[in-house]
Amino acid sequence: MLDGCTSWPEDFARRYIQEGIWEPKVLWDPLREAAARYPDRTFVADGEKKLSYGEIVQLSERVAVHLLECGMQPRDIVLLQLPNTWEFVVMFYALRRVGVIPIMCLPPHRQTELTYFAQLTGAKGYVFAPSYRGFDYLAMAREIQAAVPSLRCLIAAGDGHDTGVSYLAPCIERPARDPQVLAYYRTDPFDVALFLLSGGTTGIPKLIPRTAADYLYNAKQCVRVLDWGPDTVFMVVIPAAHNFPLSAPGMIGTAMVGGTLAMCPSPDPETVFQAVQRHKGTALAASPALLISLLNSPHLGKYDLSSLRLICVGGQKMQPELADRVWSTWPFATPVQVFGMAEGLINMTRPDDPRDVILHTQGRPISPADEIRIVGDDGQEVARGEVGELLTRGPYTVRGYYKAEEHNRVAFTPDGFYRTGDMVRQDSNGNLVVEGRRKDMINRGGEKISAEEIENLVLSHDSVHMAAVVAMPDPVMGERSCAFVIPRPERTLTLDELTRFLIDKKIAKFKLPERLEVVPQFPLTSVGKISKKDLRDQIAAKLKAEGKL
Ligand code: OOB
């Protein structure tokens, strides 16, 4: 495996291969096979535009040749940051066609995060949309490039004439000069194929290396559980770079069954409803927060959504009341609870599970090869039904973060189980129920925020003596983040000042605290650490008293 990544031990790898779990296939293969079988079937629908399997292969190969012309080599790493458009699909497959490894960045990521990823990996390229939602990504690209000498290639979606930037439009309009060159490129199924981003519990975001064999298995098991087929039309609404819409079963799974991806440029309810109606979407992947915004939308009744069969919900816990509301609003569709993580393990309720299981549990692992343990503080397994931390190991759960040896020693057990930080219990049928978490992060509508990452930035403000960032409950987002600050003597701080200060730090906006509590001191635990539990209780009580819950 690529330097900086942890391989599965040889005996595990051998077993996964012998049992046919890991197949010698690469991410390009399902696309290629589908294109050979039904070249004219639509793979990607994006607004008016429809691209068949044959066309996606052709366009991806043109871009792949262009990548080689730009000097890209197999195992080079690039930042991939595109909105949910057909270009995302073409770029992703183009990179994989020649073995270039994308880092799956989200559109809200900004210079600080991207520069860090690029420096850590020695990334050679950055693929972006020049402007999206009013933000100038081209200007940011130049700044990142100035800070990271390895970043030679800037590749932008669309068309334009900027020095040092190669645009996608011209290179897909003309046939590649030398398409035969691609015949020499065949990547290793057991090496890293892409990097996902971890929600993160430490000050520094982590990169998660996923191999083709593990990722294909991930998607294949999800396809099997949900019984996807060629008539599946999957709605890509949450950012496509998330693991959920990418391979649970997502884009990769759609390609496996010869289905269609319907790209939705925005999670705005009316845009989503229009897209479902237009493309006759059959499956949707959503966070509970997104679902609430859809259900609360005044446009809800105006569109025909009766093509929907599966509403997959994950990223944060779905309350039974919400699942119930989904069911009664769209009786033709079945809700599926998806409790997954970019590190690997995916749990799902099954579409034919009893209603009670679908309403009240987060499902069970998608593979019989997933190993799970639920342990107490002493590291020993708890009795069935008791709450403990979920640990997991398996054929698609990574054995380590990229170049993070020290953190890996804490995040994984010596025998290779990943400590999820999620507190769960398991019912008598093996279904998991998420009861809380012990990791220090905020889950804002499914987007994860590392408390430590933001605390470090808040602490660098002149007026701040001490800082603690905690989750506060929110009826729509589930959680939002609240910063508690003890100011330096004679200083004060307002939320506006803090927000401006953090925006200047060039980080994703969803990470900004949405409330500031200036306090004289923090509650402490019995061992003298800041008691975040008390802070969470404090802010929850205050919100309640203010009538905001
Ligand atoms: C998905 O992946 P990540 O990596 O953004 O976040 C993983 C974490 C989990 O450890 C858990 O804390 C939380 O998100 N989570 C849930 C949940 N799904 C994820 N907590 C409660 N209930 C759920 N259903 O979020 C992700 C990856 C693949 C598929 C779906 C979600």
Side-chain angles (χ1 to χ4, degrees), residues 69-266:
E69 288 167 358
C70 291
M72 295 275 180
Q73 300 276 329
R75 297 179 122 206
D76 280 349
I77 295 170
V78 306
L79 304 168
L80 176 61
Q81 187 187 37
L82 289 174
N84 292 354
T85 56
W86 62 273
E87 283 106 331
F88 176 95
V89 184
V90 166
M91 248 354 279
F92 181 87
Y93 280 107
L95 293 164
R96 286 319 300 151
R97 179 67 184 88
V98 288
V100 177
I101 305 169
I103 303 173
M104 307 305 295
C105 307
L106 302 173
H109 283 130
R110 292 293 177 260
Q111 207 166 320
T112 299
E113 290 108 346
L114 300 177
T115 303
Y116 170 74
F117 300 143
Q119 275 167 345
L120 179 70
T121 59
K124 288 226 181 121
Y126 173 37
V127 183
F128 60 98
S131 99
Y132 172 66
R133 296 208 181 153
F135 183 75
D136 184 352
Y137 286 80
L138 176 56
M140 177 169 73
R142 302 249 190 244
E143 289 177 42
I144 300 171
Q145 198 173 34
V148 189
S150 67
L151 205 72
R152 290 200 309 259
C153 280
L154 299 184
I155 301 173
D159 207 353
H161 302 277
D162 295 280
T163 37
V165 182
S166 70
Y167 278 89
L168 216 54
C171 72
I172 57 177
E173 270 153 25
R174 56 176 159 76
R177 250 174 279 152
D178 183 13
Q180 290 77 18
V181 65
L182 292 176
Y184 300 103
Y185 288 85
R186 170 84 198 162
T187 55
D188 178 353
F190 307 113
D191 199 357
V192 179
L194 72 163
F195 283 109
L196 296 174
L197 304 180
S198 131
T201 51
T202 65
I204 314 168
K206 299 283 179 287
L207 298 184
I208 303 170
R210 303 290 302 257
T211 66
D214 100 60
Y215 217 46
L216 286 173
Y217 180 69
N218 184 124
K220 188 176 161 187
Q221 287 303 108
C222 291
V223 158
R224 187 186 54 80
V225 164
L226 300 183
D227 195 22
W228 276 17
D231 54 349
T232 295
V233 179
F234 174 58
M235 304 300 307
V236 186
V237 179
I238 49 184
H242 272 304
N243 192 32
F244 189 11
L246 201 55
S247 90
M251 176 178 93
I252 310 276
T254 302
M256 280 179 176
V257 297
T260 299
L261 290 172
M263 308 305 282
C264 203
S266 142

Side-chain angles (χ1 to χ4, degrees), residues 508-526:
K509 247 190 179 149
F510 67 78
K511 297 180 183 174
L512 300 180
E514 288 166 272
R515 180 159 178 149
L516 171 68
E517 292 290 303
V518 178
V519 293
Q521 64 202 34
F522 289 150
L524 299 179
T525 64
S526 55

Side-chain angles (χ1 to χ4, degrees), residues 341 343 390-392 397-398 401 411-412 416-420 439:
M341 50 207 76
E343 286 81 358
L390 174 67
L391 312 187
T392 184
T397 296
V398 296
Y401 295 101
F412 294 83
F417 278 79
Y418 166 58
R419 300 183 205 269
T420 67
K439 52 189 166 187

Side-chain angles (χ1 to χ4, degrees), residues 30-85:
L31 174 66
R32 181 181 51 79
E33 287 162 16
R37 246 185 291 156
Y38 13 75
D40 299 326
R41 191 182 285 171
T42 300
F43 180 31
V44 184
D46 181 357
E48 309 252 292
K49 205 174 171 89
K50 282 190 173 166
L51 292 163
S52 67
Y53 275 90
E55 285 168 317
I56 293 284
V57 163
Q58 187 185 50
L59 299 186
S60 303
E61 291 203 318
R62 283 180 187 176
V63 177
V65 172
H66 179 70
L67 291 170
L68 297 175
E69 288 167 358
C70 291
M72 295 275 180
Q73 300 276 329
R75 297 179 122 206
D76 280 349
I77 295 170
V78 306
L79 304 168
L80 176 61
Q81 187 187 37
L82 289 174
N84 292 354
T85 56

Side-chain angles (χ1 to χ4, degrees), residues 243-244 315-317 338-342 346 362 422 439 448:
N243 192 32
F244 189 11
Q316 55 177 161
K317 186 161 168 170
V338 186
F339 164 37
M341 50 207 76
I346 309 267
Q362 280 65 60
D422 293 312
K439 52 189 166 187
K448 315 302 186 304

Side-chain angles (χ1 to χ4, degrees), residues 445-461:
E447 296 293 3
K448 315 302 186 304
I449 305 164
S450 150
E452 191 184 319
E453 182 183 346
I454 306 308
E455 283 161 3
N456 288 340
L457 294 174
V458 176
L459 274 170
S460 66
H461 190 287

